[in-house]
Each structure stands twice: as structure tokens, then as C-alpha cells.
Amino acid sequence: MNRIQIVQGDITKVEVDAIVNAANSRLAGGGGVDGAIHRAAGPGLIEECSRLGGCDTGSAKITGAYDLPARYVIHAVGPIWQGGQAGEPSLLASCYRRSLELAVEHGARTIAFPAISCGIYGYPLSAAAEIAVKEVVSFLELDESESLEMVLLVCFDSGVHECYERVFEDLCRRGRGQR
Ligand code: ADP
């Protein structure tokens, strides 16, 4: 699967058409990657978000990107980990799918994701990484017209990066795609 790249870095610096934010359901800004994105985008972003009426968990909404290098920010609301019996896996998968759909609908050809729900929301990292990679691989397999050129999975620290690499290699070995 040569349209996926796992990289370590700060998503606010990445030069892609759309970056995904791990937002909260009020789209009100917050800590972690959400705070970093709002700081880098400037005040226009929170002003636009405040007009969107929030967003359901498992879904996503798109805005402009203001002072960021990207054209769009896609605000995806991941589930808060509650032990795994509250629909967390399907809600997290749906965040990835909905974000990819929105990117394609808006003509974005490159998109970058953080590890949604893996910080303050407490989702176990390997389980979340597996969902992230599987959803992106499945989406790209169905995207026959190759409207998406590249999907970056941006890992903020080396622990997350190593975990994503391991999950991706396991998945390739099991035949779900190859880089
Ligand atoms: P959530 O509330 O969905 O758990 P967080 O922002 O707390 O969201 O964390 C999600 C992931 O984003 C974590 O792995 C965290 O290390 C990572 N992260 C934090 N800042 C950045 C950044 N600037 N770029 C990319 N990833 C980031």
C-alpha cells in the first residue's frame, strides 16, 4: 500500500491538503493535538467551529485551515475509552472513514491523521493503531480512481511511531496490503 506513510512529527507542520483534528464533540478546542491545531491556525478556526453546532462522536466536520499550511481541517470526534464495551472500536473506525470521505468530497488529495483518541481520551494504543491502519487501507483499496494520493499517519512521539510501524508491518504480513 504505497499511498500510506507513517511519520513522526507535529501535524500542524505537515504540508497536506487536509489535516485531521482529534476534536471534542463541542468543537470547542482543548488540549493535546486540538490545542496545537487551534494555536497554529489562529482565531478564525475557533470562530468557524463555534458556528457548526458541535459534532457527534464517530463523525467529523470540515473547516478552513486559516494560518496552517493545509487547506482544510477535518474535526473528527473520537470515542472516550470506557473499557471497550461502549462501541469504541466502531466509533473510532467511523471517525477515520468519515474523515476520508470528507477529504474526497472536498477534492483533497493528501490528508494527515493524528492518533485519534490515543491521548486524553485513553484509547489503548495498539488497538487504536490497528483500527487506524485497517480503515485507511480498506478505504484506499476501494478508492479505485485514486482520488487520494497520500494518507499520512502522524505520530507525535517515538512510542506511538513504533507502535504504528509494528501494527502496519503485521498487517502487511497478514496480507492486508503492502507498502
Ligand atoms: P484525544 O483527546 O482524541 O485522545 P489527544 O490530542 O489527547 O486527543 O491525543 C491524540 C494523539 O495526538 C496523541 O497520540 C498525542 O500524542 C498526539 N498529539 C499531540 N499533539 C500533536 C501534534 N501537534 N501533532 C500530532 N500529534 C499530536
Side-chain angles (χ1 to χ4, degrees):
M1 183 51 70
N2 56 9
R3 288 187 284 156
I4 299 183
Q5 259 180 40
I6 296 168
V7 297
Q8 191 180 339
D10 177 348
I11 203 166
T12 65
K13 306 274 197 290
V14 172
E15 306 235 347
V16 286
D17 295 334
I19 65 169
V20 178
N21 182 16
N24 54 58
S25 57
R26 290 175 296 122
L27 303 182
V33 71
D34 196 359
I37 287 173
H38 277 281
R39 275 193 300 279
L45 184 60
I46 197 71
E47 199 276 319
E48 185 174 352
C49 284
S50 71
R51 289 187 266 116
L52 297 178
C55 179
D56 292 338
T57 302
S59 191
K61 290 193 176 173
I62 191 164
T63 65
Y66 301 87
D67 296 341
L68 287 159
R71 277 161 54 208
Y72 301 108
V73 178
I74 295 173
H75 306 265
V77 182
I80 298 172
W81 181 255
Q82 296 175 55
Q85 302 303 311
E88 295 95 325
S90 63
L91 288 167
L92 185 60
S94 137
C95 279
Y96 282 92
R97 271 198 311 278
R98 189 66 199 122
S99 299
L100 290 161
E101 283 165 8
L102 276 173
V104 169
E105 278 165 34
H106 286 77
R109 299 190 54 78
T110 52
I111 179 171
F113 284 94
I116 299 170
S117 286
C118 293
I120 299 157
Y121 280 8
Y123 208 110
L125 185 56
S126 323
E130 189 160 332
I131 289 171
V133 172
K134 275 188 177 161
E135 285 306 320
V136 172
V137 168
S138 311
F139 192 90
L140 290 176
E141 280 173 355
L142 293 173
D143 177 32
E144 282 171 359
S145 59
E146 305 209 348
S147 38
L148 281 177
E149 269 165 23
M150 185 56 66
V151 178
L152 296 184
L153 298 173
V154 180
C155 308
F156 199 47
D157 58 56
S158 58
V160 176
H161 188 238
E162 278 160 27
C163 180
Y164 265 72
E165 288 281 5
R166 184 166 30 77
V167 163
F168 188 70
E169 272 152 33
D170 283 353
L171 214 68
C172 289
R173 218 172 299 127
R174 299 204 306 260
R176 290 283 295 120
Q178 50 195 216
R179 239 192 307 201

